Amino acid sequence: MMAFSLRNIVAFLPLFHASIVVATLPSCQTCGSPEPSPPAPEPEAFPPEPEVPEPYPPELAPYPEPDQSPEPSEAPIDDDGVFDVTNYGAVADGGTECSSAFSAAWHAACDYPWNSTIYIPEGTFLVGPISFRGPCYNDRSPNVEIRGTLFALSSLRAVEAWKEPSCEKSARCKKLITSIDFINVSHATISNITLSNSKGFHLGLHGSKNIKIYNVKIIAPEDSPNTDGIHVSNSSNISIFSSTIGVGDDCVSIGPGSKNVSVSNIRCGPGHGISVGSLGKYKNEKDVVGINVRNCTINGTENGIRMKTWPGDRPSNAYNMTFEDIVMVNVSNPIIIDQEYCPSHKCKSNEPSMVKLKDIFIKNINGTYSTKSAVIFLCSSEAPCENVQLVNINLNYLVPNSPRQGRLNIKGFLNGLQVINSRF
């Protein structure tokens, strides 16, 4: 079962590829569906952020066009305000395109004057991209309960868009859309959901606040690029916990404008670890502040905990970041600051990064690694890393008969490094 609990929703855009979903494609063009949107422990309470979010980041899908779905039809509802999509024409046969029915159920639930729930029963429903837009009646946004499977065709080749030649050669493949995006959503709970084989990011938060995500399972092949599990940007007071994520990119990525983000009790792997960034790719990015990653297990990944920034003259700050009580199992780069991040190796500028990384606390990290350097700090020469603490780091090199430990690789400028009671 998947359950969403949404309040004060401004725009909720799921490109329905959720709850054991395999893929999402544009809606069937011959089935009468609406026009699709373009591709594109508990947290502490924090005060709401009054800021208006930045425009949607270019690396994700753009904002959808206004929903062109038909007006909701008259359909029976339960006394408790449950809107079953099958009462609006959805058919759980895995072959009938159901976007119109889902959209109609949303509109009816959104207009309902009391608490309401969109209910998707057991079975397989074929859907294309859909926009669930608010605000709803009296600011009472519906819950969304999914007990079935949402599926998008058509062929395995089309599903695994990241294997297309055009996508393998481009970091900005237009097919790599996010499966479920929450845009300008507040006071929401996302739980008990399985996502698989997204074309791009699996779950995105943008311009949102006061969100809990837990009991989520996200799966994609290890060789599927840009399939981040959960991506956060321009959002605040976010808690991600008690979930399992194994993908082809970052298990969790925390992008520009993120504030007060907690990541805990995550089992990550395969993938690229848990990352702050990438930062500094675009102009006028907002600062990242108040990141806490704790009690996680990272297994068989390319990186463990990572901070990554692009080279170039786009300044911003990332500070007050804590990584603690983390177990690494056969991780290539357990602890890494990479301010020379350029995955395509085609960056236009060789200038040092202007993103300032400071007040970074890394403690109680234990486990094993498989590369020569357990700790890598590639810091900027113009905006030096500042106030970095390594406390109780115990990492063992897996290669037998290796030389004595002490593998620390530092490049660039770093002001205020403390290494306390550590062995790696």
Side-chain angles (χ1 to χ4, degrees):
M1 181 193 76
M2 163 185 168
F4 295 154
S5 176
L6 307 173
R7 292 293 181 269
N8 300 328
I9 186 170
V10 178
F12 166 41
L13 171 65
L15 302 178
F16 264 130
H17 171 270
S19 187
I20 320 177
V21 179
V22 176
T24 185
L25 290 175
S27 306
C28 171
Q29 298 182 1
T30 61
C31 305
S33 61
E35 289 293 322
S37 303
E42 287 286 324
E44 299 178 356
F46 297 92
E49 292 290 327
E51 299 172 329
V52 177
E54 290 291 306
Y56 207 66
E59 68 268 33
L60 300 181
Y63 284 113
E65 294 297 325
D67 194 357
Q68 301 297 318
S69 303
E71 290 296 320
S73 59
E74 292 293 331
I77 62 173
D78 294 340
D79 292 338
D80 56 356
V82 176
F83 294 77
D84 189 325
V85 295
T86 60
N87 291 334
Y88 292 82
V91 180
D93 61 1
T96 303
E97 212 283 334
C98 299
S99 295
S100 296
F102 278 55
S103 183
W106 168 264
H107 283 297
C110 189
D111 292 340
Y112 191 65
W114 297 283
N115 292 336
S116 62
T117 296
I118 293 180
Y119 181 73
I120 302 167
E122 293 182 0
T124 300
F125 296 88
L126 180 66
V127 291
I130 309 171
S131 293
F132 285 177
R133 305 178 70 90
C136 294
Y137 185 89
N138 202 26
D139 286 334
R140 293 177 178 267
S141 297
N143 293 337
V144 180
E145 182 175 336
I146 301 176
R147 292 186 177 271
T149 298
L150 307 185
F151 185 82
L153 19 111
S154 59
S155 69
L156 182 64
R157 181 174 178 82
V159 166
E160 297 179 348
W162 18 265
K163 290 188 177 180
E164 292 285 342
S166 62
C167 294
E168 291 176 349
K169 297 178 182 179
S170 172
R172 296 181 61 82
C173 174
K174 293 182 179 180
K175 293 184 180 180
L176 300 182
I177 57 177
T178 300
S179 293
I180 302 181
D181 264 334
F182 294 85
I183 306 170
N184 301 340
V185 173
S186 64
H187 301 282
T189 297
I190 304 161
S191 63
N192 304 313
I193 176 175
T194 295
L195 302 173
S196 66
N197 295 345
S198 175
K199 295 180 179 181
F201 295 175
H202 285 79
L203 192 157
L205 300 176
H206 179 74
S208 298
K209 58 186 178 181
N210 302 318
I211 309 292
K212 298 179 185 178
I213 302 174
Y214 65 92
N215 289 347
V216 167
K217 185 176 183 180
I218 301 177
I219 307 167
E222 186 175 1
D223 62 349
S224 57
N226 300 310
T227 54
D228 293 37
I230 300 174
H231 180 74
V232 181
S233 67
N234 291 292
S235 297
S236 62
N237 307 332
I238 308 299
S239 182
I240 304 166
F241 59 99
S242 300
S243 297
T244 299
I245 305 173
V247 291
D249 212 298
D250 296 326
C251 294
V252 178
S253 56
I254 301 169
S258 299
K259 297 182 179 180
N260 299 329
V261 178
S262 172
V263 179
S264 62
N265 295 298
I266 301 297
R267 297 182 65 86
C268 169
H272 294 179
I274 298 174
S275 296
V276 175
S278 61
L279 308 176
K281 187 175 183 180
Y282 304 104
K283 294 181 179 179
N284 303 317
E285 291 183 356
K286 291 187 176 181
D287 291 351
V288 172
V289 57
I291 308 303
N292 192 303
V293 179
R294 66 187 185 279
N295 297 324
C296 296
T297 298
I298 303 177
N299 189 345
T301 56
E302 183 176 299
N303 307 290
I305 53 177
R306 175 169 60 158
M307 289 142 277
K308 52 182 177 176
T309 73
W310 291 79
D313 60 350
R314 295 167 294 276
S316 64
N317 300 281
Y319 57 96
N320 191 14
M321 297 177 284
T322 300
F323 306 84
E324 60 183 330
D325 301 321
I326 296 172
V327 175
M328 307 279 185
V329 181
N330 190 20
V331 172
S332 295
N333 303 299
I335 301 171
I336 180 169
I337 294 176
D338 184 2
Q339 295 208 260
E340 300 176 352
Y341 180 73
C342 183
S344 65
H345 306 290
K346 296 179 180 179
C347 295
K348 296 180 180 180
S349 173
N350 292 322
E351 298 176 358
S353 175
M354 293 302 294
V355 179
K356 180 74 171 181
L357 303 178
K358 61 181 180 179
D359 302 333
I360 302 166
F361 308 102
I362 303 171
K363 54 186 177 181
N364 302 332
I365 311 295
N366 298 280
T368 58
Y369 65 100
S370 57
T371 53
K372 292 184 178 180
S373 297
V375 179
I376 301 173
F377 292 153
L378 305 179
C379 293
S380 170
S381 59
E382 291 295 327
C385 304
E386 183 176 325
N387 190 19
V388 180
Q389 293 186 9
L390 299 175
V391 181
N392 296 331
I393 310 299
N394 185 6
L395 295 168
N396 296 308
Y397 187 35
L398 282 176
V399 178
N401 302 319
S402 60
R404 70 177 182 84
Q405 295 179 332
R407 297 175 177 84
L408 172 61
N409 182 358
I410 299 178
K411 179 182 177 182
F413 291 84
L414 196 163
N415 297 331
L417 171 64
Q418 297 184 58
V419 182
I420 302 171
N421 192 29
S422 297
R423 184 173 183 268
F424 47 83

